[in-house]
PDB file of all heavy atoms in Angstrom:
ATOM      1  N   GLU A   1      24.701 -20.163  -6.808  1.00  0.00           N
ATOM      2  CA  GLU A   1      23.583 -20.914  -7.345  1.00  0.00           C
ATOM      3  C   GLU A   1      22.404 -20.943  -6.386  1.00  0.00           C
ATOM      4  O   GLU A   1      21.388 -21.505  -6.688  1.00  0.00           O
ATOM      5  CB  GLU A   1      24.034 -22.326  -7.684  1.00  0.00           C
ATOM      6  CG  GLU A   1      25.024 -22.334  -8.825  1.00  0.00           C
ATOM      7  CD  GLU A   1      25.332 -23.731  -9.306  1.00  0.00           C
ATOM      8  OE1 GLU A   1      24.647 -24.673  -8.934  1.00  0.00           O
ATOM      9  OE2 GLU A   1      26.296 -23.839 -10.079  1.00  0.00           O
ATOM     10  N   GLY A   2      22.524 -20.311  -5.249  1.00  0.00           N
ATOM     11  CA  GLY A   2      21.442 -20.299  -4.290  1.00  0.00           C
ATOM     12  C   GLY A   2      20.522 -19.119  -4.429  1.00  0.00           C
ATOM     13  O   GLY A   2      19.632 -18.918  -3.627  1.00  0.00           O
ATOM     14  N   LYS A   3      20.694 -18.292  -5.445  1.00  0.00           N
ATOM     15  CA  LYS A   3      19.892 -17.088  -5.625  1.00  0.00           C
ATOM     16  C   LYS A   3      18.458 -17.457  -5.990  1.00  0.00           C
ATOM     17  O   LYS A   3      18.208 -18.342  -6.794  1.00  0.00           O
ATOM     18  CB  LYS A   3      20.505 -16.222  -6.716  1.00  0.00           C
ATOM     19  CG  LYS A   3      19.781 -14.920  -6.928  1.00  0.00           C
ATOM     20  CD  LYS A   3      20.497 -14.082  -7.969  1.00  0.00           C
ATOM     21  CE  LYS A   3      19.794 -12.771  -8.167  1.00  0.00           C
ATOM     22  NZ  LYS A   3      20.475 -11.942  -9.144  1.00  0.00           N
ATOM     23  N   VAL A   4      17.495 -16.752  -5.384  1.00  0.00           N
ATOM     24  CA  VAL A   4      16.075 -16.942  -5.687  1.00  0.00           C
ATOM     25  C   VAL A   4      15.533 -15.592  -6.148  1.00  0.00           C
ATOM     26  O   VAL A   4      15.639 -14.599  -5.447  1.00  0.00           O
ATOM     27  CB  VAL A   4      15.288 -17.428  -4.456  1.00  0.00           C
ATOM     28  CG1 VAL A   4      13.816 -17.596  -4.799  1.00  0.00           C
ATOM     29  CG2 VAL A   4      15.869 -18.723  -3.924  1.00  0.00           C
ATOM     30  N   THR A   5      14.955 -15.558  -7.353  1.00  0.00           N
ATOM     31  CA  THR A   5      14.424 -14.321  -7.916  1.00  0.00           C
ATOM     32  C   THR A   5      12.943 -14.507  -8.207  1.00  0.00           C
ATOM     33  O   THR A   5      12.553 -15.488  -8.839  1.00  0.00           O
ATOM     34  CB  THR A   5      15.160 -13.983  -9.233  1.00  0.00           C
ATOM     35  OG1 THR A   5      16.561 -13.991  -8.988  1.00  0.00           O
ATOM     36  CG2 THR A   5      14.742 -12.634  -9.767  1.00  0.00           C
ATOM     37  N   PRO A   6      12.098 -13.564  -7.752  1.00  0.00           N
ATOM     38  CA  PRO A   6      10.673 -13.675  -8.094  1.00  0.00           C
ATOM     39  C   PRO A   6      10.441 -13.323  -9.561  1.00  0.00           C
ATOM     40  O   PRO A   6      11.130 -12.468 -10.117  1.00  0.00           O
ATOM     41  CB  PRO A   6      10.007 -12.662  -7.171  1.00  0.00           C
ATOM     42  CG  PRO A   6      11.070 -11.699  -6.811  1.00  0.00           C
ATOM     43  CD  PRO A   6      12.370 -12.430  -6.889  1.00  0.00           C
ATOM     44  N   LYS A   7       9.485 -13.998 -10.178  1.00  0.00           N
ATOM     45  CA  LYS A   7       9.153 -13.740 -11.576  1.00  0.00           C
ATOM     46  C   LYS A   7       7.629 -13.771 -11.698  1.00  0.00           C
ATOM     47  O   LYS A   7       6.975 -14.681 -11.183  1.00  0.00           O
ATOM     48  CB  LYS A   7       9.783 -14.812 -12.468  1.00  0.00           C
ATOM     49  CG  LYS A   7       9.495 -14.637 -13.946  1.00  0.00           C
ATOM     50  CD  LYS A   7      10.147 -15.736 -14.761  1.00  0.00           C
ATOM     51  CE  LYS A   7       9.810 -15.614 -16.218  1.00  0.00           C
ATOM     52  NZ  LYS A   7      10.303 -16.765 -16.967  1.00  0.00           N
ATOM     53  N   TRP A   8       7.074 -12.751 -12.343  1.00  0.00           N
ATOM     54  CA  TRP A   8       5.625 -12.678 -12.536  1.00  0.00           C
ATOM     55  C   TRP A   8       5.290 -13.153 -13.939  1.00  0.00           C
ATOM     56  O   TRP A   8       5.904 -12.731 -14.911  1.00  0.00           O
ATOM     57  CB  TRP A   8       5.133 -11.251 -12.329  1.00  0.00           C
ATOM     58  CG  TRP A   8       5.227 -10.827 -10.900  1.00  0.00           C
ATOM     59  CD1 TRP A   8       6.268 -10.178 -10.297  1.00  0.00           C
ATOM     60  CD2 TRP A   8       4.255 -11.050  -9.882  1.00  0.00           C
ATOM     61  NE1 TRP A   8       6.011  -9.982  -8.971  1.00  0.00           N
ATOM     62  CE2 TRP A   8       4.764 -10.503  -8.680  1.00  0.00           C
ATOM     63  CE3 TRP A   8       3.009 -11.661  -9.847  1.00  0.00           C
ATOM     64  CZ2 TRP A   8       4.070 -10.547  -7.476  1.00  0.00           C
ATOM     65  CZ3 TRP A   8       2.316 -11.691  -8.659  1.00  0.00           C
ATOM     66  CH2 TRP A   8       2.841 -11.148  -7.498  1.00  0.00           C
ATOM     67  N   GLU A   9       4.292 -14.061 -14.017  1.00  0.00           N
ATOM     68  CA  GLU A   9       3.860 -14.585 -15.309  1.00  0.00           C
ATOM     69  C   GLU A   9       2.341 -14.549 -15.372  1.00  0.00           C
ATOM     70  O   GLU A   9       1.669 -14.586 -14.342  1.00  0.00           O
ATOM     71  CB  GLU A   9       4.318 -16.031 -15.477  1.00  0.00           C
ATOM     72  CG  GLU A   9       5.817 -16.224 -15.441  1.00  0.00           C
ATOM     73  CD  GLU A   9       6.194 -17.710 -15.484  1.00  0.00           C
ATOM     74  OE1 GLU A   9       5.609 -18.499 -14.727  1.00  0.00           O
ATOM     75  OE2 GLU A   9       7.071 -18.035 -16.288  1.00  0.00           O
ATOM     76  N   LYS A  10       1.817 -14.491 -16.592  1.00  0.00           N
ATOM     77  CA  LYS A  10       0.366 -14.578 -16.770  1.00  0.00           C
ATOM     78  C   LYS A  10       0.004 -16.036 -16.993  1.00  0.00           C
ATOM     79  O   LYS A  10       0.530 -16.696 -17.876  1.00  0.00           O
ATOM     80  CB  LYS A  10      -0.083 -13.735 -17.956  1.00  0.00           C
ATOM     81  CG  LYS A  10      -0.230 -12.282 -17.611  1.00  0.00           C
ATOM     82  CD  LYS A  10      -1.345 -11.681 -18.405  1.00  0.00           C
ATOM     83  CE  LYS A  10      -1.607 -10.296 -17.843  1.00  0.00           C
ATOM     84  NZ  LYS A  10      -2.843  -9.755 -18.240  1.00  0.00           N
ATOM     85  N   VAL A  11      -0.892 -16.537 -16.144  1.00  0.00           N
ATOM     86  CA  VAL A  11      -1.378 -17.908 -16.265  1.00  0.00           C
ATOM     87  C   VAL A  11      -2.904 -17.854 -16.225  1.00  0.00           C
ATOM     88  O   VAL A  11      -3.487 -17.363 -15.261  1.00  0.00           O
ATOM     89  CB  VAL A  11      -0.843 -18.799 -15.104  1.00  0.00           C
ATOM     90  CG1 VAL A  11      -1.412 -20.194 -15.202  1.00  0.00           C
ATOM     91  CG2 VAL A  11       0.677 -18.824 -15.116  1.00  0.00           C
ATOM     92  N   ASP A  12      -3.525 -18.329 -17.272  1.00  0.00           N
ATOM     93  CA  ASP A  12      -4.986 -18.308 -17.379  1.00  0.00           C
ATOM     94  C   ASP A  12      -5.555 -16.915 -17.136  1.00  0.00           C
ATOM     95  O   ASP A  12      -6.557 -16.723 -16.437  1.00  0.00           O
ATOM     96  CB  ASP A  12      -5.624 -19.305 -16.396  1.00  0.00           C
ATOM     97  CG  ASP A  12      -5.220 -20.740 -16.678  1.00  0.00           C
ATOM     98  OD1 ASP A  12      -4.999 -21.063 -17.871  1.00  0.00           O
ATOM     99  OD2 ASP A  12      -5.124 -21.533 -15.720  1.00  0.00           O
ATOM    100  N   GLY A  13      -4.886 -15.896 -17.676  1.00  0.00           N
ATOM    101  CA  GLY A  13      -5.374 -14.529 -17.580  1.00  0.00           C
ATOM    102  C   GLY A  13      -5.112 -13.819 -16.260  1.00  0.00           C
ATOM    103  O   GLY A  13      -5.572 -12.712 -16.056  1.00  0.00           O
ATOM    104  N   ARG A  14      -4.400 -14.449 -15.330  1.00  0.00           N
ATOM    105  CA  ARG A  14      -4.089 -13.784 -14.057  1.00  0.00           C
ATOM    106  C   ARG A  14      -2.591 -13.844 -13.810  1.00  0.00           C
ATOM    107  O   ARG A  14      -1.900 -14.717 -14.310  1.00  0.00           O
ATOM    108  CB  ARG A  14      -4.862 -14.403 -12.891  1.00  0.00           C
ATOM    109  CG  ARG A  14      -4.580 -15.850 -12.656  1.00  0.00           C
ATOM    110  CD  ARG A  14      -5.517 -16.450 -11.591  1.00  0.00           C
ATOM    111  NE  ARG A  14      -5.213 -17.846 -11.411  1.00  0.00           N
ATOM    112  CZ  ARG A  14      -4.398 -18.326 -10.487  1.00  0.00           C
ATOM    113  NH1 ARG A  14      -3.831 -17.532  -9.633  1.00  0.00           N
ATOM    114  NH2 ARG A  14      -4.159 -19.612 -10.395  1.00  0.00           N
ATOM    115  N   LYS A  15      -2.119 -12.869 -13.016  1.00  0.00           N
ATOM    116  CA  LYS A  15      -0.692 -12.821 -12.697  1.00  0.00           C
ATOM    117  C   LYS A  15      -0.369 -13.822 -11.608  1.00  0.00           C
ATOM    118  O   LYS A  15      -1.058 -13.897 -10.591  1.00  0.00           O
ATOM    119  CB  LYS A  15      -0.305 -11.427 -12.219  1.00  0.00           C
ATOM    120  CG  LYS A  15      -0.098 -10.427 -13.320  1.00  0.00           C
ATOM    121  CD  LYS A  15       0.455  -9.143 -12.752  1.00  0.00           C
ATOM    122  CE  LYS A  15       0.892  -8.202 -13.832  1.00  0.00           C
ATOM    123  NZ  LYS A  15       1.455  -6.980 -13.272  1.00  0.00           N
ATOM    124  N   VAL A  16       0.682 -14.593 -11.822  1.00  0.00           N
ATOM    125  CA  VAL A  16       1.122 -15.597 -10.860  1.00  0.00           C
ATOM    126  C   VAL A  16       2.606 -15.366 -10.590  1.00  0.00           C
ATOM    127  O   VAL A  16       3.397 -15.184 -11.519  1.00  0.00           O
ATOM    128  CB  VAL A  16       0.898 -17.031 -11.407  1.00  0.00           C
ATOM    129  CG1 VAL A  16       1.427 -18.067 -10.434  1.00  0.00           C
ATOM    130  CG2 VAL A  16      -0.568 -17.258 -11.702  1.00  0.00           C
ATOM    131  N   ARG A  17       2.963 -15.386  -9.316  1.00  0.00           N
ATOM    132  CA  ARG A  17       4.362 -15.195  -8.934  1.00  0.00           C
ATOM    133  C   ARG A  17       5.033 -16.558  -8.804  1.00  0.00           C
ATOM    134  O   ARG A  17       4.552 -17.428  -8.093  1.00  0.00           O
ATOM    135  CB  ARG A  17       4.429 -14.450  -7.608  1.00  0.00           C
ATOM    136  CG  ARG A  17       5.825 -14.169  -7.163  1.00  0.00           C
ATOM    137  CD  ARG A  17       5.807 -13.383  -5.883  1.00  0.00           C
ATOM    138  NE  ARG A  17       7.148 -13.289  -5.357  1.00  0.00           N
ATOM    139  CZ  ARG A  17       7.432 -12.989  -4.118  1.00  0.00           C
ATOM    140  NH1 ARG A  17       6.483 -12.726  -3.270  1.00  0.00           N
ATOM    141  NH2 ARG A  17       8.668 -12.929  -3.713  1.00  0.00           N
ATOM    142  N   THR A  18       6.142 -16.712  -9.496  1.00  0.00           N
ATOM    143  CA  THR A  18       6.929 -17.941  -9.387  1.00  0.00           C
ATOM    144  C   THR A  18       8.327 -17.566  -8.929  1.00  0.00           C
ATOM    145  O   THR A  18       8.687 -16.396  -8.881  1.00  0.00           O
ATOM    146  CB  THR A  18       7.001 -18.682 -10.739  1.00  0.00           C
ATOM    147  OG1 THR A  18       7.590 -17.818 -11.703  1.00  0.00           O
ATOM    148  CG2 THR A  18       5.623 -19.122 -11.209  1.00  0.00           C
ATOM    149  N   ARG A  19       9.098 -18.558  -8.587  1.00  0.00           N
ATOM    150  CA  ARG A  19      10.477 -18.335  -8.159  1.00  0.00           C
ATOM    151  C   ARG A  19      11.426 -18.968  -9.153  1.00  0.00           C
ATOM    152  O   ARG A  19      11.209 -20.082  -9.605  1.00  0.00           O
ATOM    153  CB  ARG A  19      10.716 -18.947  -6.782  1.00  0.00           C
ATOM    154  CG  ARG A  19       9.947 -18.253  -5.704  1.00  0.00           C
ATOM    155  CD  ARG A  19      10.281 -18.852  -4.362  1.00  0.00           C
ATOM    156  NE  ARG A  19       9.551 -18.153  -3.335  1.00  0.00           N
ATOM    157  CZ  ARG A  19       8.926 -18.746  -2.353  1.00  0.00           C
ATOM    158  NH1 ARG A  19       8.946 -20.052  -2.241  1.00  0.00           N
ATOM    159  NH2 ARG A  19       8.292 -18.046  -1.444  1.00  0.00           N
ATOM    160  N   VAL A  20      12.484 -18.240  -9.469  1.00  0.00           N
ATOM    161  CA  VAL A  20      13.530 -18.735 -10.360  1.00  0.00           C
ATOM    162  C   VAL A  20      14.763 -18.961  -9.494  1.00  0.00           C
ATOM    163  O   VAL A  20      15.207 -18.050  -8.790  1.00  0.00           O
ATOM    164  CB  VAL A  20      13.829 -17.725 -11.492  1.00  0.00           C
ATOM    165  CG1 VAL A  20      14.949 -18.229 -12.372  1.00  0.00           C
ATOM    166  CG2 VAL A  20      12.571 -17.449 -12.294  1.00  0.00           C
ATOM    167  N   TYR A  21      15.285 -20.172  -9.522  1.00  0.00           N
ATOM    168  CA  TYR A  21      16.441 -20.524  -8.701  1.00  0.00           C
ATOM    169  C   TYR A  21      17.707 -20.536  -9.547  1.00  0.00           C
ATOM    170  O   TYR A  21      17.692 -20.957 -10.690  1.00  0.00           O
ATOM    171  CB  TYR A  21      16.247 -21.913  -8.065  1.00  0.00           C
ATOM    172  CG  TYR A  21      15.082 -21.961  -7.109  1.00  0.00           C
ATOM    173  CD1 TYR A  21      13.822 -22.351  -7.537  1.00  0.00           C
ATOM    174  CD2 TYR A  21      15.250 -21.606  -5.784  1.00  0.00           C
ATOM    175  CE1 TYR A  21      12.758 -22.389  -6.663  1.00  0.00           C
ATOM    176  CE2 TYR A  21      14.196 -21.639  -4.898  1.00  0.00           C
ATOM    177  CZ  TYR A  21      12.952 -22.037  -5.338  1.00  0.00           C
ATOM    178  OH  TYR A  21      11.890 -22.064  -4.463  1.00  0.00           O
ATOM    179  N   GLY A  22      18.788 -20.066  -8.963  1.00  0.00           N
ATOM    180  CA  GLY A  22      20.078 -20.107  -9.640  1.00  0.00           C
ATOM    181  C   GLY A  22      20.609 -18.717  -9.911  1.00  0.00           C
ATOM    182  O   GLY A  22      19.922 -17.724  -9.755  1.00  0.00           O
ATOM    183  N   GLY A  23      21.846 -18.649 -10.299  1.00  0.00           N
ATOM    184  CA  GLY A  23      22.480 -17.371 -10.590  1.00  0.00           C
ATOM    185  C   GLY A  23      23.422 -16.967  -9.472  1.00  0.00           C
ATOM    186  O   GLY A  23      23.398 -17.522  -8.375  1.00  0.00           O
ATOM    187  N   ALA A  24      24.246 -16.008  -9.773  1.00  0.00           N
ATOM    188  CA  ALA A  24      25.236 -15.538  -8.804  1.00  0.00           C
ATOM    189  C   ALA A  24      24.560 -14.784  -7.665  1.00  0.00           C
ATOM    190  O   ALA A  24      23.577 -14.079  -7.875  1.00  0.00           O
ATOM    191  CB  ALA A  24      26.240 -14.636  -9.505  1.00  0.00           C
ATOM    192  N   LEU A  25      25.089 -14.950  -6.473  1.00  0.00           N
ATOM    193  CA  LEU A  25      24.571 -14.225  -5.320  1.00  0.00           C
ATOM    194  C   LEU A  25      25.151 -12.820  -5.286  1.00  0.00           C
ATOM    195  O   LEU A  25      26.292 -12.595  -5.704  1.00  0.00           O
ATOM    196  CB  LEU A  25      24.945 -14.946  -4.023  1.00  0.00           C
ATOM    197  CG  LEU A  25      24.246 -16.278  -3.775  1.00  0.00           C
ATOM    198  CD1 LEU A  25      24.843 -16.941  -2.537  1.00  0.00           C
ATOM    199  CD2 LEU A  25      22.760 -16.093  -3.587  1.00  0.00           C
ATOM    200  N   ALA A  26      24.395 -11.891  -4.760  1.00  0.00           N
ATOM    201  CA  ALA A  26      24.870 -10.521  -4.595  1.00  0.00           C
ATOM    202  C   ALA A  26      25.976 -10.502  -3.543  1.00  0.00           C
ATOM    203  O   ALA A  26      25.990 -11.340  -2.634  1.00  0.00           O
ATOM    204  CB  ALA A  26      23.714  -9.626  -4.165  1.00  0.00           C
TER     205      ALA A  26
END
Side-chain angles (χ1 to χ4, degrees):
E1 293 188 12
K3 183 177 181 179
V4 179
T5 307
K7 180 180 177 187
W8 291 92
E9 299 175 312
K10 278 213 170 196
V11 177
D12 298 328
R14 61 187 179 94
K15 280 187 170 181
V16 177
R17 182 178 171 199
T18 59
R19 293 183 179 136
V20 178
Y21 296 93
L25 291 173

